Amino acid sequence: MDFVAALTDRLTIRGGGSLLHSEYQEYTGAQLILPNVVGQPCATPPASITLDEAVALAGMPQSGGNCTYQFDGSGQELIIAPKFTGNVAVDYEIPFEGGSRALLTASVYHNSGYDNQPSGLFSHIDAFQMISAAATWYGPDDRYFIRLWGENLADDIHVENILPTVPSFQEVSSKPRRYGVTVGMKIGG
């Protein structure tokens, strides 16, 4: 669901949200990657395992590398499917004599987290928020602009992606706080 509310001719609030319930109805051959444990070599083809056995293996001493298993993922949440995402933004416009204007914008985004493999073992992404803001000055007729902007203003460094592979679990972290200046110009009609 999305919304836009023009509270005045200068102040606008925008936002949106999504609630999601997702699960695999029938996924009997789900792949699960777990760390290799001491005294239990990887099997070829991948061994079948129950979720309870997978949880037990996940808590055992690790010997390096990962093994692939198959399990019944039926009823597990879909991967990369957060239960809730939402965003809210506020825009405030300030007109100036001569036709130029300034636009001040602030926004926040929330993600409730998700799993990157069925079961979430070693691949769960925790909830995170991102805060951004910008101040933009537009010249007359909006033909050119100068924007000061900042992203991830709270400097919330979190894991955005975990890629389970046989050699390792690869993590990708969010970008740190960033800020900058953007200059732009419309060319043509």
Side-chain angles (χ1 to χ4, degrees), residues 136-147 181-189:
T136 307
W137 177 82
Y138 293 92
D141 300 325
D142 289 350
R143 296 213 22 116
Y144 48 91
F145 69 88
I146 299 172
R147 176 175 298 129
V181 176
T182 303
V183 177
M185 180 174 152
K186 287 184 184 177
I187 298 175

Side-chain angles (χ1 to χ4, degrees), residues 122-134:
F122 296 98
S123 65
H124 180 73
I125 306 297
D126 291 329
F128 61 91
Q129 293 73 229
M130 298 294 286
I131 300 169
S132 301

Side-chain angles (χ1 to χ4, degrees), residues 26-82:
E26 186 176 331
Y27 192 15
T28 55
Q31 177 179 299
L32 181 62
I33 296 177
L34 296 172
N36 192 7
V37 297
V38 174
Q40 200 149 16
C42 299
T44 305
S48 292
I49 191 171
T50 68
L51 188 54
D52 289 338
E53 290 169 332
V55 170
L57 276 176
M60 296 176 71
Q62 301 172 9
S63 63
N66 292 329
C67 295
T68 302
Y69 297 91
Q70 286 202 345
F71 83 110
D72 184 357
S74 304
Q76 295 293 311
E77 291 183 17
L78 291 175
I79 62 170
I80 315 174

Side-chain angles (χ1 to χ4, degrees), residues 140-158:
D141 300 325
D142 289 350
R143 296 213 22 116
Y144 48 91
F145 69 88
I146 299 172
R147 176 175 298 129
L148 304 173
W149 54 267
E151 296 176 347
N152 192 10
L153 295 176
D155 203 22
D156 174 27
I157 305 299
H158 57 273

